[in-house]
Amino acid sequence: MGWSTEQAGAGTQHGEAGAGAEAAGVGGEDAGPGARGGEQPRPPVALSPSRASDFMQCPLLYRFRVIDRLPEKPSPAATRGTVVHAVLERLFDAPAAERTAVGARAMVPGEWEKLLAKRPELAELFADDAAGERLAQWLAEAEALVERWFSLEDPTRLEPAERELYVETVLDSGLQLRGFIDRVDVAPTGEVRIVDYKTGKAPRPQFAEGALFQMKFYALVMWRLRGVVPRRLQLVYLGSGDVVTYDPGEADLRAVERKLLALWEAIRLATETGDWRPRPTKLCGWCDHQAHCPEFGGTPPVYPLRIRPPEGGGVPQGRMGEI
């Protein structure tokens, strides 16, 4: 399989994480089976890029999503990202000559209808839009994002080896890693490129580490699975028209592995003790869980897992507001 020889957007700003496969349904994919349908919640059993980012952002947010599985309102931006990702994935089903911007734009309404059929609750995004004006604008924005992609990459020159690839591996430590990769390109020489689509704008360089961490996570998994370090990691920002690339080395990926092991140890300790502390940031203003967060005067649900008594006596309460 070949990949594009163009270097669109070279030298642009680095980027941040955006909507992808995991954005289609937030929460719980790293928990053990039986955490829904009234069954007993289980401790986390694996780590994905999204949930790793959640814990680094706020341990209490991680608990709400993975262990408590609290519901979250559907987001227009994340839902639009899911639709755009679906179009860019399925576009490659057509022969190269038929992969046009006009054709891709035409796919957007259909992919929205497919997503709505799978997730009827998304209809509430436009429940008060009787005239359909907001929906039409939302679809037009998705179409514009899809069209912009054609100015950044040439799909007639690409034949991806994998699309929406689910990857999973277990490290020597026993830590299970999993996630979805938007696209994997393999050059005739065997070099691997991992590509991720972002429907937002590329952030300033000082905020780039989050997205690069996600890409290095995927690169680590691919390295452990296939024994080859990906030659290039590529972030395609449809919101701003930037393409960001990074060429990892084994030292990079070993550093990511060490970071993930330390992160998993912190998650394990919090799971055992019930001590999930909130970490206030500017992002709190967009959190759906303010009613349960002590930082906003709320009280989390009763901790559903058995907790380990702290050293030195005392009985932990399993509630963040009481720790």
Side-chain angles (χ1 to χ4, degrees):
M1 299 293 181
W3 57 23
S4 172
T5 58
E6 297 177 0
Q7 295 298 316
T12 54
Q13 288 184 332
H14 290 248
E16 62 186 1
E22 292 176 303
V26 171
E29 72 270 13
D30 299 333
R36 287 184 179 176
E39 298 181 30
Q40 184 67 27
R42 306 282 181 84
V45 298
L47 197 59
S48 69
S50 294
R51 301 294 79 84
S53 295
D54 284 345
F55 188 85
M56 290 187 289
Q57 175 186 325
C58 174
L60 186 56
L61 174 63
Y62 177 96
R63 177 201 147 172
F64 286 158
R65 284 180 165 170
V66 175
I67 295 177
D68 298 299
R69 295 199 173 191
L70 298 182
E72 297 185 0
K73 297 178 182 178
S75 159
T79 304
R80 182 172 55 236
T82 302
V83 170
V84 170
H85 275 73
V87 171
L88 297 184
E89 176 192 358
R90 297 186 174 97
L91 178 70
F92 288 100
D93 290 340
E98 298 178 16
R99 299 169 194 164
T100 66
V102 173
R105 287 183 67 112
M107 294 171 64
V108 169
E111 292 302 331
W112 160 240
E113 292 298 331
K114 291 178 185 178
L115 181 61
L116 188 60
K118 294 178 181 178
R119 298 183 58 200
E121 71 275 12
L122 294 177
E124 70 181 75
L125 290 171
F126 305 102
D128 58 350
D129 183 35
E133 294 179 357
R134 285 199 301 110
L135 174 59
Q137 177 62 33
W138 182 84
L139 289 171
E141 291 169 354
E143 291 170 4
L145 291 171
V146 168
E147 185 170 17
R148 177 171 284 163
W149 176 66
F150 283 79
S151 69
L152 304 174
E153 295 191 284
D154 181 357
T156 66
R157 302 172 62 187
L158 291 168
E159 291 297 340
E162 306 281 356
R163 290 171 278 153
E164 283 297 320
L165 174 65
Y166 175 73
V167 291
E168 180 178 305
T169 192
V170 178
L171 302 180
D172 292 341
S173 64
L175 172 58
Q176 185 177 28
L177 305 179
R178 58 174 63 154
F180 285 89
I181 299 175
D182 288 345
R183 197 178 89 216
V184 178
D185 299 333
V186 180
T189 55
E191 294 174 307
V192 174
R193 176 172 64 185
I194 295 176
V195 180
D196 197 68
Y197 307 122
K198 305 296 183 186
T199 50
K201 297 180 179 180
R204 293 188 295 273
Q206 60 266 37
F207 301 111
E209 187 54 37
L212 287 177
F213 170 77
Q214 174 196 15
M215 298 300 284
K216 291 176 183 178
F217 182 110
Y218 292 142
L220 171 63
V221 174
M222 291 290 284
W223 183 30
R224 295 308 187 202
L225 280 176
R226 302 184 180 182
V228 177
V229 175
R231 174 67 178 81
R232 174 152 295 179
L233 310 177
Q234 180 166 304
L235 293 148
V236 181
Y237 285 94
L238 304 176
S240 56
D242 293 317
V243 174
V244 178
T245 62
Y246 183 84
D247 297 341
E250 290 189 10
D252 285 314
L253 303 189
R254 289 195 179 96
V256 170
E257 183 170 1
R258 290 193 296 270
K259 182 173 183 176
L260 290 173
L261 291 176
L263 191 64
W264 188 247
E265 176 60 21
I267 291 172
R268 185 195 63 78
L269 183 61
T271 301
E272 291 182 356
T273 63
D275 188 359
W276 302 91
R277 304 189 181 191
R279 183 175 297 142
T281 69
K282 293 181 179 180
L283 297 175
C284 291
W286 286 273
C287 184
D288 281 342
H289 307 303
Q290 293 179 9
H292 297 286
C293 180
E295 294 296 319
F296 291 87
T299 301
V302 174
Y303 191 56
L305 303 178
R306 179 176 295 182
I307 54 180
R308 185 185 69 190
E311 296 181 4
V315 180
Q317 302 298 311
R319 288 173 173 260
M320 288 300 300
E322 299 172 354
I323 290 178

